Amino acid sequence: MNTFLAACRRAVGMGLLLPLAACAPVQTPASQRPPASAGSVAASLQTAELLPAAPKAGTPRYEADRQVFLATRKLQDSPRWTLAQQDVDYATPKLMADFSCAMGTPLDAAALPRLAALVDDTSNAADASTSPAKKANQRQRPFLIDQGATCQSTERLAKSFDYPSGHATRGWAVGLVLAELAPDRATDLLLRSRAFADSRVVCGVHNLSAVEAGAMNGAAVVAVLHASPAFQSSLAAAKQELNAYRAANHSMPTAQCSAQKALIEPTPY
């Protein structure tokens, strides 16, 4: 119990007359309260209720997931496999760099600290949102159901659940935020989000249904983040920074980016 409130009650019990307002709890004005963090806002999402249940053994969706996993094993050691390996690391500096071709300019976390902070917040919120649904569904990863090569070590992954994909959630959430900052690049940015999620299927560490759920989850996270004043402030600061950065005529190698786009436009399944 609040010490001040307890003292007021003791005084009233002793027959002392105090102004009623003196014992009223003091409310902090909304404008002076610390803003809720992006992660705490996103954690309010009930993802286990929002997302469809993971496919169950014996259902058509479950069998379709198995067939996609088996069919995409043929991509081992291909250029698309190499990209999937590169997409395993989703730390903020690497993730920003992954979207450079799509943005049309090198996204350097050191040169864009406000954007990096925004990507951090979005990524943390995306991660927080996936845990409840993973625990609720407890879906096994595809390499535990059928044998097949994976593009990364499975030692740690085997101890975690498949559905929804955390990589896909993060990739779509960040891509949607970047598209809001640079709507003229939205098509390429969201294509890169799709490819980032598809990389988990190519890699053999997530089922297609888990990647699809990640896309839905990522969109929900961004929608909820917009209710956070702290996120809105970070978004505005990042937009101003990015606009100035892009105006400085930084550009990406045309041939490299054209090759990447040709690689990711077709779905790998």
Side-chain angles (χ1 to χ4, degrees):
M1 180 184 295
N2 180 281
T3 304
F4 176 71
L5 183 57
C8 282
R9 290 185 175 179
R10 285 196 299 271
V12 171
M14 295 169 62
L16 299 179
L17 297 178
L18 292 174
L20 184 61
C23 287
V26 179
Q27 298 292 332
T28 303
S31 60
Q32 297 179 23
R33 295 173 195 159
S37 69
S40 65
V41 171
S44 66
L45 268 177
Q46 302 298 314
T47 52
E49 298 175 21
L50 165 67
L51 300 176
K56 302 297 183 183
T59 64
R61 289 180 67 223
Y62 185 92
E63 292 305 319
D65 276 344
R66 292 185 62 202
Q67 292 306 312
V68 168
F69 170 75
L70 294 171
T72 50
R73 295 316 85 216
K74 67 184 179 184
L75 294 171
Q76 185 177 5
D77 299 328
S78 69
R80 189 63 184 84
W81 183 269
T82 300
L83 181 61
Q85 289 177 314
Q86 294 172 1
D87 285 348
V88 170
D89 182 357
Y90 62 7
T92 290
K94 177 63 171 57
L95 185 57
M96 288 176 62
D98 287 340
F99 280 93
S100 291
C101 275
M103 185 63 79
T105 191
L107 295 180
D108 181 354
L112 294 162
R114 292 178 178 177
L115 179 59
L118 179 64
V119 171
D120 264 342
D121 283 347
T122 304
S123 296
N124 290 337
D127 290 350
S129 75
T130 60
S131 182
K134 280 182 180 286
K135 290 178 180 177
N137 286 280
Q138 299 190 18
R139 175 83 186 277
Q140 283 189 309
R141 291 180 184 265
F143 58 82
L144 295 174
I145 299 169
D146 294 292
Q147 291 187 345
T150 61
C151 81
Q152 69 180 107
S153 170
T154 60
E155 184 177 354
R156 292 180 61 187
L157 290 175
K159 300 174 184 177
S160 63
F161 297 119
D162 169 64
Y163 185 98
S165 164
H167 269 75
T169 299
R170 184 184 287 216
W172 274 106
V174 169
L176 285 164
V177 169
L178 292 176
E180 186 169 351
L181 297 178
D184 59 305
R185 302 294 301 181
T187 299
D188 285 330
L189 289 164
L190 296 178
L191 174 61
R192 188 62 180 95
S193 289
R194 194 197 81 192
F196 189 79
D198 284 345
S199 285
R200 304 310 284 164
V201 176
V202 173
C203 194
V205 294
H206 273 298
N207 285 296
L208 177 58
S209 62
V211 163
E212 292 171 340
M216 185 188 303
N217 199 30
V221 166
V222 173
V224 173
L225 282 176
H226 276 78
S228 163
F231 179 80
Q232 289 285 358
S233 177
S234 182
L235 192 71
K239 186 175 181 65
Q240 183 178 24
E241 178 185 70
L242 181 62
N243 285 345
Y245 182 83
R246 293 180 68 194
N249 297 316
H250 299 276
S251 61
M252 291 293 293
T254 302
Q256 173 189 333
C257 292
S258 295
Q260 183 186 92
K261 188 171 184 178
L263 181 64
I264 66 176
E265 275 187 317
T267 56
Y269 39 83

